[in-house]
Amino acid sequence: MHSYVEAHRRSLADRDGFWRERAALIDWQTPFSEVLDYSRPPFARWFVGGRTNLCHNAIDRHLAERGAQPALVYISTETDTRRTYTYEELADEVNRFAAILTAQGVDRGDRVLIYMPMIPEAVFAMLATVRIGAIHSVVFGGFAAASLATRIDDAQPKVLITADAGMRAGKSVRYKPLVDEALRLTVHPPSRVIIVNRGIDAAMSSTPGRDLDYATLAAQYAGESVPCVWLESSEPSYILYTSGTTGNPKGVQRDTGGYAVALTASMRDIFCVAPGETMFTTSDIGWVVGHSYIVYAPLLNGSTTIMYEGLPIRPDPGVWWRIVAEHRVRTMFSSPTAIRVLKKQDPAFMKAHDVSSLRYLFLAGEPLDEPTARWAADSLGVAIVDNYWQTESGWPILSAQLGIAETPRKFGSPSFPVCGYDVRLLDELTGEEVGADRKGVLAIVPPLPPGCMTTIWGDDQRFVRTYFETLPGRSIYSTFDWALRDADGYYFVLGRTDDVINVAGHRLGTREIEEAVQAHPGIAEVAVVGVADAIKGQLPMAFAVVKDPSLLETAEGIGRMRAEVLSTVDRLLGAIARPGAVHFVTLLPKTRSGKLLRRAIQALAEGRDPGDLTTIEDPAALEQIRDALKS
Ligand code: AMP
């Protein structure tokens, strides 16, 4: 414990020394002149003046020593495909893709939108984009046309890269029609769409002049090599959209040098994966865990990464452990939801494989309940490491740092602040620090460490307002999570302070879902809350007021309206945002000033006491919620 406390203290007291040492883990084309420029708080510029490139550090710099080592192992149980790319082969693919992008006029600072299933070409596209100094924006393939359109209009990409289809549980999920629909909705459509045709959707249509076939381009540009564009450390590498309390997602902007340094160091200090060893992260490239720990960190570190398309229970619930055994995986990174799914299966599947190579199973993205953590530890016989972070941070904020100190873990706790993060727990009303075992808002004293978001794409003011001006007294970064710290210094994360919910580790804004439900012309008003779910952590539940109550007079009418609401959400946001239940009421509980009492609704939906409701306008609204839940 002492060595952790000392390392953390030093990371803040001698910030420059701490990060200078870690900056030596990557290559710099031009050395930086200053570790940190914090002359314009809360905007931090790390490794000022240093010039580097993410793709160079992820690929080129390993070629001399590790050219023949596997870099990317692709396994799809959906299409029964396995492909291994050595660092050399990955370099060829990425160079070729970079040549394709350059030929389409993509230049330094231009945006490239990637809307793809879990296929290697998605990784080639990301690395090719940063190679030429352009900025990628990967949009999760489960988002529907309207969500995609909003992100296109905000990022205004020059090129969009997609595929004909993805696969889920043996069924094809068509991507291209969604892209076509999104492009019809946008004000700023990209001029070119590159399509990786997997041969899944035979009926895929193409728009001549705009749509380009990847295989044709790949043949044309085979063998091309494209030099890296050296960026100043603070120049953006990518944008990743995340949900908040408004219906408008925020484009989290990441820098280049700080991200490369923080991620490379995290492989040593937190994830304990050495160059040459293998990491298996089960997320999707559309989420931050996928960006950081499927793609960038393992490659920056000279490790081997496994990219998996498929479910954890197909063809059988042993599939992940078979992969661990076959590839001698050292560290695995997954989500509590996935482990809860596996927990319902026959434990024999978990025990059937030799997982002796595995040292750690990292779990993040949502609260990790103790029974799930215990079950995973007992069945696998490996250490479970709960770690807490956000799209904004890009890498862990709270975690055991086993590469620094072997601190014991407590179930239910993601341990301690990671080195570089000055974490505080503050009283929401006074901004004062709270004592041991007291609930407070988890906040970070700026400057945020390297790797964290540098701003919101195109909106510096929103960055400052959203994150640094919500707690009283001073400018401090709010995570919008409640947490407490016990007397031994262990943190426990207690859930969001805002209206954001977490479904299977994916962050969704209740406002976004409400706006989608309200897009149905028959809905007057709606409240969406997150309700505890045994597998997914939380599920959205909607309470809607219809414009014409006569439509709900028969059971058939209710069923029809419910189905229409669900398909509206599917169409606008995607099935991941689909409410688990839709209830109809004639009145929603609000304060006298008209604010929805979401926390009271949520409490009732979870069978808890709704608490102090002196501000409620009409108590009958709560009775309606109670009745709706009973029916
Ligand atoms: P996202 O930005 O989608 O990764 O979601 C981040 C949010 O997920 C955080 O603000 C937390 O609410 C939640 N979260 C992430 N990791 C953990 C964890 N280990 N324990 C509890 N909540 C977590």
Side-chain angles (χ1 to χ4, degrees):
M1 183 72 89
H2 174 75
S3 44
Y4 156 71
V5 173
E6 179 47 30
H8 185 259
R9 192 200 58 74
R10 190 196 149 218
S11 75
L12 301 181
D14 175 21
R15 191 166 26 219
D16 281 15
F18 181 87
W19 285 113
R20 189 182 297 281
E21 203 178 288
R22 279 158 179 75
L25 294 171
I26 69 156
D27 277 2
W28 296 89
Q29 189 251 358
T30 311
F32 49 90
S33 53
E34 212 184 332
V35 173
L36 170 69
D37 169 9
Y38 196 51
S39 56
R40 203 167 64 95
F43 298 93
R45 294 179 60 221
W46 288 95
F47 310 115
V48 184
R51 301 182 89 74
T52 187
N53 180 285
L54 271 183
C55 184
H56 166 86
N57 278 292
I59 299 181
D60 303 46
R61 81 179 175 114
H62 304 306
L63 289 177
E65 207 182 318
R66 318 187 167 275
Q69 178 198 307
L72 174 67
V73 175
Y74 176 66
I75 301 167
S76 170
T77 50
E78 296 288 352
T79 57
D80 208 11
T81 312
R82 277 160 181 267
R83 263 181 270 154
T84 296
Y85 299 86
T86 62
Y87 271 95
E88 223 144 64
E89 288 162 341
L90 185 60
D92 289 345
E93 295 288 352
V94 170
N95 270 286
R96 159 160 62 185
F97 216 133
I100 293 172
L101 292 177
T102 307
Q104 301 314 315
V106 178
D107 225 329
R108 178 184 197 145
D110 287 341
R111 275 78 59 211
V112 173
L113 195 135
I114 298 171
Y115 180 72
M116 291 178 99
M118 288 284 282
I119 53 176
E121 288 81 359
V123 177
F124 308 157
M126 291 167 77
L127 292 164
T129 303
V130 295
R131 184 174 191 85
I132 57 173
I135 301 166
H136 61 68
S137 165
V138 181
V139 176
F140 175 60
F143 280 123
S147 302
L148 178 57
T150 317
R151 289 158 173 78
I152 292 173
D153 274 337
D154 193 69
Q156 302 185 16
K158 210 170 217 175
V159 169
L160 188 152
I161 305 166
T162 189
D164 59 336
M167 293 280 292
R168 194 174 159 78
K171 293 199 191 77
S172 68
V173 183
R174 300 169 79 204
Y175 275 45
K176 181 61 177 20
L178 285 180
V179 169
D180 289 336
E181 167 73 11
L183 294 186
R184 269 193 294 276
L185 299 172
T186 56
V187 185
H188 300 284
S191 54
R192 292 280 181 275
V193 177
I194 298 175
I195 303 145
V196 178
N197 192 341
R198 307 174 78 189
I200 295 173
D201 181 7
M204 185 184 74
S205 65
S206 190
T207 305
R210 184 196 72 186
D211 295 353
L212 303 168
D213 174 50
Y214 177 68
T216 311
L217 294 169
Q220 197 179 338
Y221 291 92
E224 294 270 331
S225 91
V226 176
C228 289
V229 171
W230 302 106
L231 298 181
E232 200 278 336
S233 177
S234 293
E235 282 184 70
S237 55
Y238 70 75
I239 310 167
L240 179 57
Y241 287 89
T242 189
S243 298
T245 43
T246 70
N248 229 349
K250 297 184 285 275
V252 167
Q253 181 174 320
R254 201 85 68 203
D255 73 354
T256 296
Y259 187 60
V261 170
L263 262 69
T264 311
S266 77
M267 291 296 278
R268 183 188 72 180
D269 297 345
I270 304 175
F271 294 96
C272 303
V273 184
E277 292 182 343
T278 301
M279 181 165 190
F280 176 20
T281 299
T282 68
S283 181
D284 186 287
I285 46 142
W287 306 115
V288 69
V289 174
H291 278 63
S292 291
Y293 293 102
I294 295 175
V295 184
Y296 286 110
L299 297 176
L300 286 164
N301 196 48
S303 304
T304 301
T305 185
I306 293 181
M307 178 185 203
Y308 176 73
E309 181 187 50
L311 299 179
I313 50 169
R314 268 174 56 100
D316 63 64
V319 58
W320 282 358
W321 317 114
R322 197 156 43 241
I323 292 173
V324 168
E326 275 174 21
H327 295 272
R328 306 297 297 158
V329 171
R330 193 70 171 145
T331 286
M332 186 158 167
F333 190 163
S334 190
S335 69
T337 291
I339 302 302
R340 286 192 290 264
V341 167
L342 289 172
K343 194 167 141 212
K344 289 176 53 183
Q345 316 293 324
D346 182 349
F349 283 110
M350 216 146 177
K351 302 219 185 283
H353 304 281
D354 171 15
V355 296
S356 58
S357 61
L358 196 63
R359 216 164 8 158
Y360 300 116
L361 171 61
F362 282 79
L363 296 173
E366 55 182 315
L368 172 61
D369 54 290
E370 185 170 337
T372 301
R374 266 189 206 288
W375 179 83
D378 293 347
S379 340
L380 273 179
V382 299
I384 306 299
V385 189
D386 183 359
N387 58 119
Y388 159 90
W389 44 298
Q390 314 182 296
T391 304
E392 288 83 347
S393 68
W395 62 294
I397 298 170
L398 299 174
S399 180
Q401 292 154 88
L402 301 160
I404 291 179
E406 246 312 320
T407 50
R409 266 86 60 209
K410 283 191 188 182
F411 282 120
S413 164
S415 297
F416 316 113
V418 166
C419 289
Y421 287 93
D422 189 356
V423 173
R424 307 291 169 96
L425 290 180
L426 303 182
D427 183 289
E428 183 188 27
L429 298 176
T430 64
E432 300 285 320
E433 285 192 42
V434 299
D437 292 322
R438 301 294 298 274
K439 175 173 158 179
V441 180
L442 190 83
I444 303 166
V445 178
L448 297 179
C452 291
M453 80 187 296
T454 48
T455 188
I456 291 176
W457 174 254
D459 201 342
D460 283 354
Q461 264 195 351
R462 188 176 176 200
F463 171 64
V464 178
R465 239 187 309 117
T466 305
Y467 294 105
F468 294 90
E469 289 181 354
T470 58
L471 287 157
R474 59 176 156 167
S475 170
I476 187 164
Y477 174 87
S478 173
T479 62
F480 299 99
D481 278 303
W482 297 111
L484 59 79
R485 182 177 47 235
D486 71 9
D488 301 325
Y490 286 79
Y491 283 71
F492 293 81
V493 179
L494 307 171
R496 299 280 301 190
T497 64
D498 57 8
D499 294 325
V500 166
I501 62 175
N502 194 316
V503 181
H506 307 320
R507 197 204 292 195
L508 298 169
T510 47
R511 280 285 295 281
E512 259 176 290
I513 307 175
E514 285 169 4
E515 283 176 20
V517 172
Q518 252 162 322
H520 185 288
I523 301 294
E525 256 198 307
V526 63
V528 171
V529 295
V531 178
D533 179 81
I535 297 286
K536 295 187 170 178
Q538 281 188 306
L539 264 187
M541 186 183 277
F543 294 86
V545 179
V546 292
K547 288 181 186 159
D548 177 2
S550 72
L551 293 175
L552 303 180
E553 273 162 10
T554 62
E556 218 186 10
I558 295 176
R560 196 177 315 121
M561 183 56 91
R562 202 167 265 151
E564 282 178 25
V565 164
L566 295 180
S567 75
T568 309
V569 175
D570 278 8
R571 187 166 51 78
L572 293 178
L573 292 180
I576 50 162
R578 184 191 301 164
V582 180
H583 298 289
F584 296 107
V585 290
T586 60
L587 189 67
L588 290 171
K590 289 187 188 161
T591 61
R592 276 175 222 115
S593 55
K595 214 170 153 264
L596 260 177
L597 288 162
R598 284 200 189 78
R599 282 186 206 179
I601 303 175
Q602 185 194 34
L604 288 178
E606 292 183 342
R608 291 182 284 113
D609 176 10
D612 172 26
L613 289 168
T614 43
T615 58
I616 193 164
E617 191 187 16
D618 184 349
L622 279 187
E623 278 316 307
Q624 283 212 18
I625 301 278
R626 278 198 186 94
D627 291 347
L629 286 163
K630 273 187 230 139
S631 63

